[in-house]
Amino acid sequence: MANSDNPTLSRRAMLGGVAGSAALATVARANDPAITEMQEWTQYLGDGVDAAPYGVPSEYEADAVRRDVPWLTADPVSSVNFTPLHKLEGIITPNGLCFERHHGGVAQIDPAMHRLMINGLVDKPLVFTMEDIKRFPRENRIYFLECAANTGMEWRGAQLNGCQFTHGMVHCVMYTGVPLRYLLEEAGVKTNAKWIMPEGADASAMTRSIPLDKALDDCLIAFAMNGEALRPEQGYPLRIVVPGWEGNMWVKWLRRIEVGDEPWHHREETSKYTDLLEGGKARRFTWEMDVKSVITNPSPQAPITHEKGHTVLSGLAWSGRGNIKRVDVSIDGGRNWRPARIDGPSHDKALHRFYHEFDWDGSPLLLQSRAVDSEGWVQPTKDALRDVRGTESIYHNNSIQTWHVRKGGEVENVEVG
Ligand code: MTE
Ligand code: CO
């Protein structure tokens, strides 16, 4: 582990600090029932290998679940639930915890009856079965997907109490799929083609316009996530992966790709997924997800439970424009910043995990994190973002989040001026 980029935390200083605080474990007590009493699990045989053909987490982890916000859910078939970011480690989201956003419920598709059509400005309109698609060369790539509306409820002020709700419209998995370029080459794209329009087979028949350049660059037609078939919620049997760009473009249950010479201006790119500015103008075609980060622990759903001493702060950072070069954290509301330690793989357009270990004196804190990406973009404060975009927006809020840690370790969502 190299701490050379973190002058405040040499290995020696860290170990010294841990030993010095002397509060990382209790001295063994003779009357601790967890040691002195025979627990049930040591007295009886456990479950056999036939108990769980598809494994599930320990019953003690029942809290690590997707949750919705009742007042945001008029009808569950056109709504959203959120990834429990405060319960996760590393950079990969387990399949069963990836947030879901759908506009017409989860389509349950028989893969034998599923087809992908490519039509429009192509030499030969084609139809692929799932088997056809699996005969093209595959690639495995790790990407985050973030809904453009993630953190949208926080534009005008601190509102939702938990990073699950403020930032949980993001997930990051390894996709297996075929580069879209191969399928388009097979159909033969005409020289005047400039756009593609993926379409979903669900009841909402979701459509978005995507520039052909992006489609030929790094889009994937994915059929697997984290090593297994896509989950129905995530678009089984096929979805388009649009790396770094807003989640709405990642059409699920993908059944058709039309090739055209201009954008279609469908609902999802006109009345929705445009950013209303002060004065009534709107930004459109805001596809890239900007550099962003959030502290996941401590956070409102994950308070500090020890009195003081050595404390591990953990969080996530990502950018749709590349990878994360640096994350700084502040424990005093942005007055002083320290470099956080990024740990684990650093992939372009994927989540990054960061940590900051510090000695908590038990007094109130204002926790913030600020990420910088490989293109040099710096995550803005809320005020800086509002200065440019006003307060009417929902989409593309990548501003710095503040958590207020109270004396007893409880955490709440706040804003600092
Ligand atoms: N694709 C279809 N066919 N139908 C949908 O409702 N929702 C979109 C996108 N693709 C949607 C869709 C939106 S708004 C987002 S943010 C992502 O899917 C969510 O992907 P997830 O459910 O895998 O998290
Ligand atoms: Co969305």
Side-chain angles (χ1 to χ4, degrees), residues 83 100-101 126 133 139 174 198 292-293 304-305 325 396:
T83 309
E100 298 168 62
R101 170 79 180 102
L126 294 177
I133 285 166
E139 292 184 12
M174 186 196 291
K292 187 162 171 178
S293 71
I304 306 182
T305 50
K325 278 289 166 250
H396 296 279

Side-chain angles (χ1 to χ4, degrees), residues 380-397:
T381 62
K382 267 192 173 183
D383 285 344
L385 190 71
R386 288 186 192 125
D387 282 349
V388 180
R389 304 251 186 88
T391 52
E392 298 303 320
S393 258
I394 304 168
Y395 307 113
H396 296 279
N397 177 359

